[in-house]
Amino acid sequence: MSSDDIRLDWQRNDRLGISEAIWGLHKSAEQIVAILEAFAVRDQPALVTRVDEIKAQAVLQRCNTELVRFEARARCLTSGAPPTLRPELGSVTVLSGGTSDLPVAAEAQLALKWHGIDAGLLLDVGVAGLHRLLDQLPKLQQSSVLIACAGMEGALPTVLAGLLPQPVIGVPVSVGYGVSAGGRAALDGMLASCAPGLAVVNIDNGYGAAMAALRILQRRI
């Protein structure tokens, strides 16, 4: 596969203020390499999501490892340098109920960083130990948007949306026993939330939550 076979949406950033990201899960290492080469030709930073370590190593063996990096905890490949931070847009805090939610939360954080957004990460503030979250409320009030990643019953976004005035984006995570059903219980719980104004993205979609937050931030200025 060559870069001539690839048709990327180079105008997306002009239309939406969002750079195209590459879904890596169902692409071969060869396809990812060709796409990264196309980004490099245009001197544009690239983000490839959902890449496991085996595929990442196969890509790195074919690429300039000084240019391409594997962000293991976010399961992403990046190429080039991220844009300069844009503090005028505000900041985002990405929260997780537990450390099992880290890959999804880290994906959201990295995607925001790759768009110049200051994004912090706050782990282990799930409702099973609610005091851990309550202790962080003064700090969270400084963030412009909150992204809450949670598995099991997915209650964390509802709690946040009931306590804080910022936009809250819920990300159901495919973590939990039995009826948690690969994140479906968390998705249903977030969609059925009684907290007004809570937005919800699809299961494990940290990238999608990050882009929703980005759209909110870009409309604030």
Side-chain angles (χ1 to χ4, degrees):
M1 184 176 185
S2 71
S3 56
D4 294 335
D5 300 318
I6 299 166
R7 300 183 64 185
L8 296 172
D9 186 4
W10 300 114
Q11 291 76 40
R12 184 177 300 181
N13 191 56
D14 294 334
R15 295 195 317 271
L16 306 178
I18 296 173
S19 301
E20 182 170 9
I22 309 306
W23 172 258
L25 181 60
H26 298 106
K27 291 182 176 65
S28 67
E30 180 187 23
Q31 289 171 324
I32 293 173
V33 169
I35 291 170
L36 291 177
E37 289 174 347
F39 273 85
V41 166
R42 290 176 175 258
D43 196 27
Q44 291 195 18
L47 174 67
V48 187
T49 65
R50 297 304 168 85
V51 181
D52 62 33
E53 186 169 358
I54 294 175
K55 188 181 294 185
Q57 292 305 319
V59 171
L60 292 173
Q61 288 174 5
R62 294 168 170 83
C63 292
N64 180 348
T65 54
E66 294 182 359
L67 180 69
V68 180
R69 294 166 300 280
F70 179 46
E71 307 286 350
R73 70 178 189 172
R75 302 174 299 183
C76 293
L77 285 163
T78 61
S79 176
T84 304
L85 283 179
R86 297 185 286 170
E88 72 277 6
L89 292 181
S91 63
V92 176
T93 298
V94 183
L95 305 93
S96 80
T99 52
S100 297
D101 307 317
L102 176 59
V104 175
E107 178 183 282
Q109 182 191 33
L110 182 63
L112 287 164
K113 176 184 176 182
W114 228 242
H115 286 81
I117 302 301
D118 179 16
L121 195 60
L122 182 60
L123 305 177
D124 275 338
V125 288
V127 299
L130 192 56
H131 60 283
R132 300 174 299 179
L133 175 63
L134 298 179
D135 289 344
Q136 299 296 321
L137 290 183
K139 178 180 177 181
L140 293 174
Q141 289 172 348
Q142 307 305 312
S143 296
S144 308
V145 180
L146 303 173
I147 295 175
C149 307
M152 300 291 187
E153 82 281 32
L156 178 60
T158 289
V159 174
L160 284 168
L163 292 174
L164 294 167
Q166 300 100 315
V168 177
I169 302 166
V171 186
V173 179
S174 54
V175 169
Y177 296 106
V179 297
S180 296
R184 185 55 193 260
L187 174 62
D188 289 346
M190 293 181 195
L191 291 174
S193 173
C194 61
L198 172 64
V200 183
V201 299
N202 209 340
I203 297 169
D204 290 341
N205 193 3
Y207 173 79
M211 294 306 97
L214 179 62
R215 285 175 179 259
I216 292 169
L217 294 174
Q218 289 181 148
R219 299 303 296 176
R220 295 173 68 244
I221 61 172

